[in-house]
């Protein structure tokens, strides 16, 4: 179920499951929509990319940012499904500009994505 504030909506696309789940473990995949910014929070496991794409159809906008909370495969395996999005993982940021890609490092936390969305580091 979506959670809304005056300007942003947060929802769960895929609910995570623990190791002992009959369907197997997977990480939660979330979405945050803030005006023109669409942030995918974790990109899922190697087997649920099609499910993520299907669930994103209702948004009718492109994902602008992918934020990976940590490097386990059930959280980052589908980053490549969003090649035009800004990719944020740990302290790294990758931005595609035309045919080139710019890499940078986050030096100050929190890292602001939009007016109402920010990424907080481990100690912020």
């Amino acid at each position: 179920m979506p959670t809304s504030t005056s300007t942003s909506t947060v929802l769960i696309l895929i609910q995570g499951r623990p190791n002992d789940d009959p369907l197997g473990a997977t990480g939660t995949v979330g979405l945050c929509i803030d005006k023109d910014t669409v942030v995918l929070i974790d990109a899922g496991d190697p087997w649920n990319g099609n499910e993520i794409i299907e669930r994103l159809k209702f948004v009718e906008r492109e994902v602008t940012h992918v934020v990976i909370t940590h490097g386990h495969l059930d959280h980052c395996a589908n980053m490549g499904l969003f090649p035009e999005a800004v990719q944020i993982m740990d302290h790294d940021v990758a931005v595609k500009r035309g045919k080139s890609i710019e890499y940078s490092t986050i030096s100050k936390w929190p890292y602001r994505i939009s007016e109402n969305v920010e990424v907080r580091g481990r100690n912020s």
Side-chain angles (χ1 to χ4, degrees):
M1 204 62 177
T3 301
S4 292
T5 65
S6 60
T7 59
S8 60
T9 300
V10 177
L11 46 93
I12 294 175
L13 295 180
I14 296 175
Q15 179 63 55
R17 301 183 302 265
N19 283 332
D20 60 354
D21 189 284
L23 296 174
T26 194
T28 298
V29 177
L31 193 69
C32 179
I33 303 169
D34 180 50
K35 298 180 184 173
D36 294 329
T37 304
V38 179
V39 182
L40 187 72
I41 305 161
D42 286 335
D45 65 43
W47 304 278
N48 64 9
N50 290 336
E51 182 179 2
I52 292 168
I53 296 299
E54 187 64 32
R55 291 183 181 196
L56 284 170
K57 285 183 180 177
F58 77 94
V59 176
E60 298 179 350
R61 289 191 272 167
E62 294 292 318
V63 170
T64 60
H65 294 75
V66 176
V67 175
I68 304 301
T69 60
H70 63 283
H72 290 162
L73 279 175
D74 59 334
H75 294 262
C76 67
N78 294 307
M79 291 173 70
L81 292 176
F82 308 96
E84 302 302 318
V86 174
Q87 306 279 332
I88 303 168
M89 184 173 180
D90 196 26
H91 288 75
D92 298 325
V93 179
V95 180
K96 185 175 180 189
R97 301 212 191 276
K99 293 183 179 182
S100 66
I101 299 172
E102 295 176 13
Y103 293 96
S104 62
T105 302
I106 297 170
S107 60
K108 182 180 177 199
W109 298 98
Y111 179 78
R112 187 154 302 280
I113 292 176
S114 70
E115 180 182 348
N116 298 301
V117 179
E118 63 186 24
V119 178
R120 294 180 174 263
R122 290 184 195 113
N123 297 321
S124 63

